[in-house]
């Protein structure tokens, strides 16, 4: 399982960005659907709702391109963990899956802090 290091700029970026643009590749568009029953639309909703909690930058396992992680709800309240990278100002989703227990707890703690 990937590990993330919190970075403050990610929370500011999530809160201040209003028009997210997405760059899907064919493999990542279908991967989360097939593995976790998470659609691209649901993945994008996590960003659009503006209620995501930042996990930070992926530090393990090492990857050649900076990966970021967030946890947030979809329009129907499904809590997802989304890993993505930023390319030319666009979000390139890598994976999305239902949040596990630890991620749910982190999200609940985040909501208490921002309330």
């Amino acid at each position: 399982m990937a590990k993330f290091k919190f970075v403050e700029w990610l929370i500011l970026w999530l809160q201040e960005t209003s028009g997210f643009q997405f760059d899907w590749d064919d493999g990542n568009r279908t991967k989360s659907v097939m593995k976790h029953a998470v659609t691209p639309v649901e993945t994008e909703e996590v960003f659009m709702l503006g209620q995501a909690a930042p996990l930070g930058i992926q530090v393990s396992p090492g990857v050649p391109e900076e990966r970021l992680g967030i946890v947030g709800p979809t329009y129907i309240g499904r809590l997802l963990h989304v890993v993505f990278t930023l390319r030319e100002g666009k979000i390139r989703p890598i994976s999305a899956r239902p949040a596990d227990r630890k991620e749910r707890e982190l999200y609940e703690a985040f909501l208490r802090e921002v309330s």
Side-chain angles (χ1 to χ4, degrees), residues 25-91:
D25 70 20
D26 291 336
N28 291 344
R29 183 180 297 278
T30 59
K31 177 175 64 175
S32 294
V33 174
M34 294 175 66
K35 290 177 79 174
H36 305 292
V38 176
T39 67
V41 170
E42 287 178 297
T43 301
E44 291 181 10
E45 288 174 357
V46 173
F47 292 88
M48 301 300 198
L49 276 171
Q51 299 174 14
L55 296 174
I57 296 173
Q58 183 175 322
V59 293
S60 173
V63 289
E65 184 174 33
E66 181 177 80
R67 291 184 179 183
L68 304 161
I70 61 173
V71 176
T74 65
Y75 287 130
I76 62 168
R78 189 173 180 198
L79 198 59
L80 301 180
H81 173 223
V82 179
V83 177
F84 65 99
T85 191
L86 295 173
R87 286 194 188 165
E88 299 176 11
K90 294 181 181 177
I91 296 165

Side-chain angles (χ1 to χ4, degrees), residues 11 50-54 71-73 79 104-115:
I11 192 168
Q51 299 174 14
V71 176
L79 198 59
R104 288 179 176 281
E105 290 171 358
L106 183 142
Y107 185 71
E108 290 168 7
F110 172 78
L111 289 180
R112 286 190 297 274
E113 282 185 31
V114 297
S115 307

Side-chain angles (χ1 to χ4, degrees), residues 10-20:
L10 183 54
I11 192 168
L12 298 172
W13 178 78
L14 287 168
Q15 292 173 341
E16 294 175 2
T17 303
S18 59
F20 294 104

